[in-house]
Amino acid sequence: MEYDKETGKSNYSIMSGLPINFEEDELREFLYNHRKVINVTEKLSIQVNEKLVGTIFTGRKRI
């Protein structure tokens, strides 16, 4: 982001090579609504059975 003191606007690239001039409140709203950073935590458990259960489908191998 580059701030222009003359215009009072910030030049922010919304995509690679596509800069747009924003007012400060417009830029805050854009970043709030379009850029999110989230952390995802997952607990995963895997159970392995000794006997095979179910059906396995395999495709034909092409030579």
Side-chain angles (χ1 to χ4, degrees):
M1 179 186 84
E2 295 177 16
Y3 180 73
D4 186 351
K5 290 181 183 179
E6 293 178 12
T7 63
K9 294 189 177 188
S10 299
N11 191 5
Y12 181 77
S13 182
I14 61 171
M15 285 194 226
S16 180
L18 182 60
I20 294 182
N21 289 327
F22 288 94
E23 299 276 341
E24 182 181 352
D25 56 335
E26 292 173 330
L27 181 58
R28 285 180 194 266
E29 184 177 342
F30 175 79
L31 294 174
Y32 179 78
N33 291 324
H34 293 89
R35 302 284 189 236
K36 303 284 184 193
V37 176
I38 61 172
N39 292 321
V40 178
T41 303
E42 178 180 335
K43 288 187 177 183
L44 178 67
S45 63
I46 299 174
Q47 180 179 352
V48 179
N49 295 320
E50 301 223 1
K51 286 184 167 182
L52 295 178
V53 178
T55 304
I56 299 175
F57 294 96
T58 59
R60 288 185 276 168
K61 293 183 180 179
R62 295 182 185 185
I63 300 175

